[in-house]
Amino acid sequence: MTPLDKLKQLTAWDAVPALTETELEEILASAALEDAVGLGPLHEEWTPTYDLNAAASQAWLLKAARSAALTDEPTAGNVTSKIFDNCRSMARVYAGKRATTLTMLRK
């Protein structure tokens, strides 16, 4: 399974409010990390490495922003405020799992 496929699963990308594959690719690129040997995303020998939790958090925030623009219709089954709340909740869950980096300084 590719990182993009994993991100799609983590974000319910095709559920309203939906995200496009292009948007997910851009979000994934913004969550790129150095690989196991320290090569960055711009290096030609970089092994694709991502903070999928950071990407998922960002994607859920985008879904929350989109849901904020929706209006409730009396006949609609979904309530916009609940969708917004759920998207924000999912963003917080994944934000709490983001990769952290610790730099040790020696004296």
Side-chain angles (χ1 to χ4, degrees):
M1 179 178 294
T2 69
L4 180 60
D5 291 333
K6 289 179 187 176
L7 185 58
K8 286 178 178 180
Q9 286 184 332
L10 294 174
T11 60
W13 76 293
D14 54 355
V16 174
L19 300 170
T20 66
E21 194 164 296
T22 300
E23 290 168 328
L24 288 177
E25 288 170 346
E26 291 170 359
I27 289 170
L28 194 59
S30 73
L33 301 171
E34 288 185 349
D35 63 16
V37 294
L39 299 176
L42 297 178
H43 195 281
E44 64 183 39
E45 294 180 19
W46 175 68
T47 300
T49 307
Y50 304 97
D51 182 345
L52 286 176
N53 289 310
S57 178
Q58 190 176 353
W60 279 108
L61 286 175
L62 181 55
K63 288 174 76 91
R66 288 200 176 138
S67 69
L70 299 175
T71 57
D72 289 329
E73 293 182 27
T75 59
N78 296 327
V79 178
T80 301
S81 62
K82 282 296 192 187
I83 295 171
F84 177 79
D85 291 344
N86 289 339
C87 291
R88 292 283 298 139
S89 177
M90 293 303 294
R92 282 191 300 274
V93 166
Y94 287 108
K97 297 179 178 184
R98 292 190 313 203
T100 56
T101 303
L102 178 64
T103 303
M104 302 285 292
L105 300 176
R106 294 186 179 178
K107 292 185 178 186

